[in-house]
Amino acid sequence: MHIELNRHAGTPLSKQIAQTLSDRIRSGLLTAGTRLPSVRELARTLKVSQVTVSKAYAELERMELIHCAQGKGCFVGPEPEEAGMPEWSATWQLSTIDYLPRAHTWRHFQGFSSDFRYRLHMAQVDPDLLPNREICRNIHQLVTENPAIIANYGPSQGDPELRRALADYFRTCGIAADAEDVLIASGSQQAIDLVARTFVGPGDTVYMEGPTYSGAIDVFAARGARIVTVPVDHEGMRIDILSRFCDVHPPKLIYTVPTFHNPTGTVMSASRRARLLELAQSYSAIILEDDAFSDIWFRTEPPRAIKAMDRFGHVILAKGFSKILSPGCRVSALAASGTLLSRLIAAKTIADLGSPMLNQRAILPVLRSGLFQRHLKRLRAALKSRRDLVLELLKRHAPRGVTWTEPEGGFNLWVTMPEWARATDLYLLAQREGVAILPGIACYANEPELHRFRLSYSFMDERALREAVLLLCDVLRRYLADPSSKDAGSRSTL
């Protein structure tokens, strides 16, 4: 088990060990019943004192993530209620080093996506709102008329025709990009990973919003980056706080979701976008601008992308099309310039030799025709109606003490409970009713706020949304009315 320790940070080593292990437990990498290394063994591996490891294990016990038995060792999860419960025997596997400090993305998409009737945790568009028939018709035509499309590799940078179409799209958004400035990736998750594996290494300082997209946290944490989180308010990332932090730890990269931020739904103001770009220029840093939602605005268009203001190549724009066109095709684009782009293309080649040509060509006719804008218009209307429904239900049925954001676009609401409450407890209680939420703990790289959670209105139709939100409000009401119900979720490892 690899645990990256920063001996020059202000955080005690015991807390760093506890944080890494808690992330692994909550994301499911360490499952209930797994025996942890002994205090002596882990101290020797990490080259720290046994007292340091003992403090880390004590902290994990306090958090009810592990239990320790005299003479037997420490195990993931609460103490079994039944004596003699068998322990998982393949403990040798923990001696095989990996570099996954956390994996909430894996847990979110694979662990419980199909286990719930009501999926309020899914920041994904209802499949019935996507242009599936058109894309399937394109695929059929492609393989019928040109079967060789599945028999050959495509260019590592991506299909030239698709890159030209995307360059045209970017220019309508005020972004000066030619086809040569575009790299096709297999979804935004790969785009973020390509940037991280190319430009971020152990100890490099990466700034992110707190909270932020959990998949990006997983990527940068796996690179061994020093992640510093910056709070978010109604105008997005607090650039004043970021500036003070940068005086102490100059940034290598700043990751931001400025438009309909995931998970809060906020929009970074135009003035803050300009200040963020100036800050990056002054430190010769990279901005990774993650844009999955800017096309989904409800009343007025959001400010232009930070990339549209970039004149010196500091911004890499990751523009996702999977969510709004076809999650199955997994197509996104990176817009960059100069040697940043050439190094990203090299990283893409190493990763997979290029994204599938069939997927790229399947969405090309949609982007080239008026269908794309007509689709976006219908999608905005449908999602606005669903957002309005959820907001109305929350206003009428949510218990006192619960608040939420009211986004002007995107897929998500960010819900805040009283500070004593835990979203992981609520998750378990809602699970009994078949309702899934995303506990906010997944959206923080460090110092999580346990009383918040994300609610997505994009995946279910209005009938199911109504049922789900009413059930959730009922669970919320019962949970907050009875403080003793906190114990109902004490065994949660999310």
Side-chain angles (χ1 to χ4, degrees):
M1 185 188 311
H2 175 77
I3 298 178
E4 189 76 33
L5 297 178
N6 185 347
R7 300 174 191 273
H8 304 290
T11 306
L13 296 180
S14 61
K15 287 191 174 294
Q16 294 183 44
I17 295 168
Q19 180 66 50
T20 299
L21 290 174
S22 68
D23 280 338
R24 285 172 169 264
I25 292 168
R26 287 187 166 116
S27 63
L29 289 175
L30 292 175
T31 56
T34 300
R35 189 178 190 275
L36 297 176
S38 69
V39 170
R40 178 177 297 179
E41 179 185 353
L42 190 56
R44 183 175 62 250
T45 300
L46 299 179
K47 296 181 173 57
V48 299
S49 71
Q50 293 184 35
V51 172
T52 297
V53 176
S54 294
K55 286 182 178 179
Y57 280 0
E59 175 67 10
L60 292 168
E61 272 199 291
R62 187 191 65 77
M63 298 164 67
E64 298 180 327
L65 294 176
I66 70 171
H67 70 279
C68 298
Q70 185 69 32
K72 292 185 177 180
C74 294
F75 301 84
V76 174
E79 188 171 0
E81 296 179 1
E82 297 181 11
M85 185 176 180
E87 297 165 0
W88 193 57
S89 59
T91 54
W92 67 269
Q93 293 186 358
L94 288 178
S95 65
T96 301
I97 292 176
D98 67 66
Y99 297 89
L100 290 170
R102 53 168 273 164
H104 281 289
T105 312
W106 164 68
R107 177 67 176 267
H108 174 41
F109 280 95
Q110 300 298 329
F112 54 87
S113 290
S114 61
D115 300 336
F116 295 87
R117 180 179 180 187
Y118 302 109
R119 304 180 192 178
L120 294 174
H121 67 299
M122 294 288 287
Q124 180 180 331
V125 170
D126 179 353
D128 290 340
L129 298 178
L130 296 173
N132 302 318
R133 292 183 182 277
E134 291 81 358
I135 292 175
C136 286
R137 188 160 49 243
N138 295 340
I139 292 173
H140 181 266
Q141 183 176 351
L142 285 165
V143 297
T144 300
E145 297 180 358
N146 182 22
I149 195 170
I150 62 172
N152 295 291
Y153 291 107
S156 296
Q157 190 172 351
D159 175 51
E161 290 188 50
L162 178 59
R163 289 191 284 113
R164 281 193 287 273
L166 291 176
D168 292 339
Y169 166 84
F170 285 135
R171 283 192 287 272
T172 66
C173 302
I175 298 169
D178 295 323
E180 292 73 21
D181 302 317
V182 177
L183 168 64
I184 306 300
S186 297
S188 292
Q189 188 66 26
Q190 188 191 51
I192 296 167
D193 184 67
L194 289 174
V195 174
R197 73 168 61 193
T198 305
F199 300 111
V200 177
D204 285 342
T205 300
V206 172
Y207 285 94
M208 314 177 78
E209 288 120 343
T212 192
Y213 168 50
S214 62
I217 301 173
D218 290 350
V219 167
F220 292 117
R223 294 296 302 167
R226 176 199 288 120
I227 298 176
V228 182
T229 55
V230 182
V232 175
D233 65 13
H234 66 284
E235 288 189 66
M237 181 187 280
R238 289 283 303 276
I239 307 302
D240 57 331
I241 296 177
L242 171 64
S243 180
R244 294 199 298 269
F245 286 169
C246 289
D247 289 339
V248 180
H249 299 294
K252 177 70 176 291
L253 184 142
I254 303 167
Y255 170 83
T256 181
V257 187
T259 307
F260 308 126
H261 174 257
N262 183 6
T264 68
T266 57
V267 176
M268 185 184 292
S269 63
S271 60
R272 286 196 187 178
R273 294 175 191 232
R275 288 170 59 198
L276 178 58
L277 181 57
E278 291 171 0
L279 192 68
Q281 291 170 350
S282 67
Y283 284 99
S284 297
I286 296 170
I287 295 174
L288 175 54
E289 181 178 11
D290 187 357
D291 177 13
F293 306 107
S294 67
D295 295 294
I296 309 302
W297 46 270
F298 298 148
R299 290 190 300 179
T300 57
E301 291 190 51
R304 287 192 168 185
I306 303 170
K307 183 64 178 173
M309 299 183 281
D310 183 27
R311 297 293 177 265
F312 302 103
H314 285 271
V315 181
I316 299 172
L317 174 64
K319 174 60 186 176
F321 292 92
S322 295
K323 288 184 181 296
I324 59 175
L325 281 181
S326 174
C329 283
R330 308 297 298 133
V331 173
S332 70
L334 283 167
S337 59
T339 65
L340 293 188
L341 178 64
S342 60
R343 285 180 275 180
L344 287 168
I345 296 171
K348 172 67 171 172
T349 306
I350 294 168
D352 62 8
L353 298 178
S355 298
M357 284 290 289
L358 180 61
N359 296 5
Q360 298 177 65
R361 288 291 178 91
I363 72 164
L364 177 59
V366 178
L367 290 170
R368 275 184 165 173
S369 67
L371 172 62
F372 184 50
Q373 291 303 323
R374 292 195 300 273
H375 162 65
L376 288 178
K377 185 176 181 179
R378 290 194 298 267
L379 185 57
R380 291 182 196 122
L383 294 184
K384 180 180 184 299
S385 178
R386 298 181 188 198
R387 181 213 60 172
D388 291 346
L389 171 64
V390 171
L391 291 176
E392 179 61 27
L393 290 170
L394 289 174
K395 289 173 183 176
R396 292 174 57 189
H397 300 284
R400 182 175 298 178
V402 177
T403 60
W404 50 87
T405 57
E406 298 190 6
E408 289 299 320
F411 298 176
N412 307 304
L413 304 177
W414 186 237
V415 183
T416 301
M417 300 183 292
E419 289 193 8
W420 64 260
R422 291 187 178 185
T424 49
D425 294 345
L426 180 68
Y427 165 82
L428 288 183
L429 294 169
Q431 180 183 30
R432 299 172 186 173
E433 306 293 338
V435 179
I437 59 170
L438 182 68
I441 193 170
C443 303
Y444 289 90
N446 43 53
E447 300 181 1
E449 296 183 333
L450 303 178
H451 61 298
R452 305 181 193 273
F453 64 91
R454 192 187 74 185
L455 187 159
S456 300
Y457 49 81
S458 57
F459 188 69
M460 294 184 292
D461 62 34
E462 293 192 14
R463 179 192 59 79
L465 263 180
R466 178 179 295 276
E467 295 173 2
V469 174
L470 289 175
L471 279 171
L472 180 62
C473 286
D474 183 57
V475 174
L476 261 170
R477 191 179 307 109
R478 287 186 275 117
Y479 174 50
L480 298 181
D482 181 10
S484 65
S485 67
K486 290 185 290 182
D487 297 334
S490 63
R491 294 171 183 263
S492 172
T493 59
L494 277 175

